[in-house]
Amino acid sequence: MKKRIDYRKNLEINKKKKKMAKVGILSAFGMIGLMSATPALASEWTANAPESISIEQGATSYTMKQGDTLWAIGMKINVNVNTLASINNINLSNGEQFTMPVGTVINFSESEIKAVNPTGQAVNEGVKVNDSNKIVKDKPVGTDVSKYVSNGTATNNDVVGQPDNTGKLPAPNTGGTTKPEEKPSTGGDNGAVKPVEPTEPTNPTNPVDPTKPTDPEKPVAPTNKDVYVTVNVDENGSVLDSTAGYEFISESTAKSVETLENGNTATTYTTTKTWKESSKPTNPTNENKYVTINVDTNGNVLSSVEGYLFVSEATQSGVETLPNGNTVTTYTTTKTWKKDEVTPPSDFYVGQVLYTSKAFATSAEANTHMWEISTEWFDFGYANNIAVKPSAFGGGGKYYVTVTVEALNVN
């Protein structure tokens, strides 16, 4: 009688296994079910195939949803079943099966793998990543390796992984339920493991409403970082380490956007400033200039002072800075002159000096002046019935020759 009862029991178990095999998730020790926020019967539970699980490229975490299995998740992130079981405190080598709440977050990177329950507590310290944690050894964690399993490159043993390859882990934190279930079957239908009926988690701190499904974790929106760079170049485009001795010409700004491995972006604004060598001397010099301007008593500029008598002079200075940094100091002397006019006297006498000119530097200059005024004075003498005598004779000082007109006789 005992054998007959065992036979019927085995038939019932095999019937359930065949039904689950139709969903395409047969894998030895790989079918570890996850709990839904809404309790359901085992007959209503359907496992999610790997291709129905979406994990964005570059993501470093995944939040468990209704129907997920460690077997399917493992192929999507290149982590074997035994490792995923270990970070959730499940010892498959002892035949244990545990349920886990929907909302459990699997955090993964090339350095470590951890599980966090829906309340935000770490289940344990996780594991350090090595090749024994991976399904395909030469691919990084986070890689979808389901195609390697489907084409036979990765075997079922690679998917499951080796037991006890993660070392002893601390006891789990509170906030989720763990319940031992029946040991996995080792016979029939390629040894597929019966999915565990989902159960409701115990969460007194933040209880889950069984009428509302738990939303999956939303992806983090990518961010952008602005970077500002300034480059100094000469007129030939060569980069300058220093702009000392250069004059600024112009500048322009270019923008470029780089997408990083984590999906974030970096926008770089590069301002290029162009410089030319300065023409200003290091040690500026000064040049003195001297200018003389002759004007009459009315301020009119004279091209010649011939026939004029000197009155006065004044000097002013001005400084001009040239584009090259040098300076020019100009000293301008303005000399004022009055017309050297003949003013005849009203009474005449013999020997009377009718006219005396300015002093000339040379006898030649004096003689020239004497001949220039002679005709005028001869006409004057004729008009006034007197004889006149123009003459040039020397005097003292720098200008020593003067011209005089003298009356010889009076009628």
Side-chain angles (χ1 to χ4, degrees):
M1 179 63 68
K2 182 178 181 181
K3 290 183 178 180
R4 185 172 183 178
I5 292 173
D6 291 343
Y7 175 74
R8 289 180 178 178
K9 182 177 181 181
N10 288 337
L11 286 177
E12 184 65 20
I13 292 173
N14 288 335
K15 185 184 294 183
K16 290 182 178 180
K17 289 180 179 180
K18 289 180 179 179
K19 183 176 180 179
M20 293 308 299
K22 293 180 180 179
V23 299
I25 57 169
L26 295 179
S27 174
F29 302 105
M31 186 67 93
I32 306 303
L34 299 182
M35 186 186 77
S36 168
T38 302
L41 298 177
S43 59
E44 298 174 354
W45 188 89
T46 303
N48 296 328
E51 56 268 21
S52 68
I53 298 173
S54 176
I55 300 179
E56 293 185 6
Q57 183 179 2
T60 57
S61 67
Y62 177 72
T63 303
M64 293 292 194
K65 295 184 283 295
Q66 172 71 13
D68 283 348
T69 66
L70 299 186
W71 181 80
I73 295 301
M75 284 194 289
K76 296 297 288 186
I77 63 173
N78 194 23
V79 176
N80 59 48
V81 172
N82 265 293
T83 298
L84 293 177
S86 296
I87 65 172
N88 288 284
N89 291 331
I90 300 171
N91 191 340
L92 296 179
S93 63
N94 290 339
E96 294 180 355
Q97 296 185 52
F98 282 73
T99 60
M100 290 171 290
V102 168
T104 296
V105 179
I106 305 297
N107 294 308
F108 51 88
S109 68
E110 271 297 280
S111 60
E112 63 180 12
I113 307 170
K114 287 184 177 181
V116 178
N117 65 26
T119 66
Q121 295 176 305
V123 177
N124 53 48
E125 292 184 354
V127 298
K128 299 296 181 181
V129 172
N130 54 53
D131 286 347
S132 65
N133 305 127
K134 301 178 182 179
I135 296 173
V136 179
K137 312 305 181 188
D138 59 352
K139 299 295 180 184
V141 169
T143 304
D144 184 347
V145 296
S146 56
K147 65 179 181 179
Y148 297 99
V149 177
S150 62
N151 65 21
T153 302
T155 65
N156 189 59
N157 288 336
D158 293 326
V159 177
V160 175
Q162 297 298 319
D164 298 329
N165 61 352
T166 58
K168 186 176 180 181
L169 298 168
N173 292 320
T174 60
T177 60
T178 59
K179 180 179 67 176
E181 298 289 343
E182 64 181 65
K183 295 182 179 180
S185 172
T186 58
D189 295 332
N190 296 324
V193 181
K194 173 185 176 181
V196 179
E197 178 180 344
T199 59
E200 183 177 359
T202 301
N203 187 359
T205 304
N206 187 18
V208 178
D209 186 348
T211 64
K212 297 181 180 180
T214 302
D215 291 333
E217 181 179 330
K218 295 181 180 179
V220 178
T223 61
N224 177 74
K225 179 181 180 182
D226 290 334
V227 180
Y228 297 89
V229 179
T230 300
V231 180
N232 295 305
V233 300
D234 62 16
E235 294 177 285
N236 298 319
S238 301
V239 177
L240 299 174
D241 295 330
S242 171
T243 57
Y246 286 82
E247 296 178 16
F248 175 75
I249 299 178
S250 63
E251 69 177 43
S252 61
T253 300
K255 171 184 173 183
S256 63
V257 180
E258 176 187 5
T259 302
L260 308 178
E261 293 182 358
N262 59 5
N264 294 338
T265 57
T267 302
T268 301
Y269 298 88
T270 303
T271 299
T272 302
K273 294 186 175 182
T274 304
W275 303 76
K276 70 175 182 179
E277 288 192 57
S278 176
S279 58
K280 295 180 180 179
T282 305
N283 297 314
T285 60
N286 179 73
E287 177 185 1
N288 292 328
K289 286 186 177 181
Y290 299 90
V291 178
T292 298
I293 299 176
N294 296 303
V295 299
D296 61 17
T297 53
N298 296 321
N300 299 315
V301 177
L302 301 174
S303 57
S304 171
V305 295
E306 192 69 36
Y308 287 84
L309 295 176
F310 176 75
V311 177
S312 63
E313 70 177 40
T315 301
Q316 292 181 328
S317 64
V319 180
E320 177 188 6
T321 301
L322 305 180
N324 62 3
N326 293 338
T327 58
V328 176
T329 302
T330 302
Y331 297 92
T332 302
T333 299
T334 302
K335 291 185 176 182
T336 303
W337 302 80
K338 71 176 181 177
K339 187 71 175 177
D340 187 9
E341 298 177 336
V342 175
T343 306
S346 57
D347 296 323
F348 304 99
Y349 57 88
V350 176
Q352 181 182 9
V353 177
L354 301 175
Y355 166 77
T356 301
S357 75
K358 68 176 183 178
F360 292 94
T362 64
S363 297
E365 292 176 353
N367 288 331
T368 299
H369 179 66
M370 181 182 66
W371 288 112
E372 287 177 347
I373 66 173
S374 292
T375 300
E376 182 180 356
W377 277 105
F378 284 141
D379 290 342
F380 176 82
Y382 179 78
N384 290 279
N385 296 315
I386 62 174
V388 296
K389 176 185 177 183
S391 61
F393 59 94
K398 180 178 180 181
Y399 301 100
Y400 61 93
V401 180
T402 60
V403 176
T404 63
V405 177
E406 181 181 0
L408 296 179
N409 56 37
V410 180
N411 297 327

